Amino acid sequence: MLNTMKKLNLVELSGALCVLLLGVAVMVIARDYPMGSLSRMGTGYFPMILGALLLVIGVVLVFEVARSTEQVVVRIPFRPILMIGLGIITFAFLVERAGLVPATCALVVLGSLAESPFRPVTVLCIAAAMSVISVLLFVKALGLPLSAFGG
């Protein structure tokens, strides 16, 4: 008799269980908020629905992983994780000290280093566009107390 027992993909199973547990946690936290009704939603209505959706998605994922027969090799993408994390930290550090424009440019440049090949002209165009949009949206339209340059 052949051994037809398959191995569970523990990485995918742990991801599915995380989604399921996140849904349960959101629902547990949301139970203390007033639900309201469909026409007059309370503060707990949306989190409860979101938690229920996450729970359902998690259950479906667990069953999918249990049925799956293919094994997935997981490679952790260290460079994107490092560069995007560094970009966010740099933005947070620079936004009050150097201003919104330099912080946005630094974020775009560091974020673009997460992917190869590095295209400097494209990155500079995106950084300039994002800086202009950020100043127009956050400083001018929303009136946030940020300066474009220097703080």
Side-chain angles (χ1 to χ4, degrees), residues 7-146:
K7 292 174 72 175
L8 274 177
N9 189 335
L10 294 179
V11 174
E12 286 185 0
L13 182 62
S14 63
L17 289 174
C18 283
V19 172
L20 189 143
L21 291 174
L22 180 64
V24 170
V26 168
M27 290 176 72
V28 166
I29 293 169
R31 74 168 190 240
D32 293 332
Y33 297 124
M35 287 292 289
S37 65
L38 187 58
S39 60
R40 292 185 63 84
M41 294 180 198
T43 54
Y45 194 88
F46 182 74
M48 188 62 77
I49 297 297
L50 182 65
L53 285 173
L54 285 170
L55 177 69
V56 169
I57 290 170
V59 168
V60 169
L61 286 173
V62 167
F63 283 115
E64 273 299 307
V65 169
R67 287 182 353 140
S68 176
T69 57
E70 68 182 64
Q71 290 292 328
V72 177
V73 177
V74 177
R75 291 192 177 101
I76 299 174
F78 288 110
R79 182 171 154 185
I81 292 171
L82 178 70
M83 296 315 295
I84 291 174
L86 186 61
I88 292 169
I89 291 168
T90 303
F91 178 86
F93 180 77
L94 289 177
V95 73
E96 289 184 358
R97 291 168 181 80
L100 186 58
V101 171
T104 303
C105 289
L107 176 64
V108 170
V109 169
L110 289 170
S112 69
L113 291 173
E115 190 177 306
S116 60
F118 181 74
R119 295 182 174 94
V121 174
T122 304
V123 171
L124 290 175
C125 291
I126 292 172
M130 291 301 296
S131 296
V132 169
I133 291 169
S134 296
V135 169
L136 290 175
L137 178 65
F138 296 113
V139 177
K140 301 295 182 191
L142 295 176
L144 293 181
L146 297 170

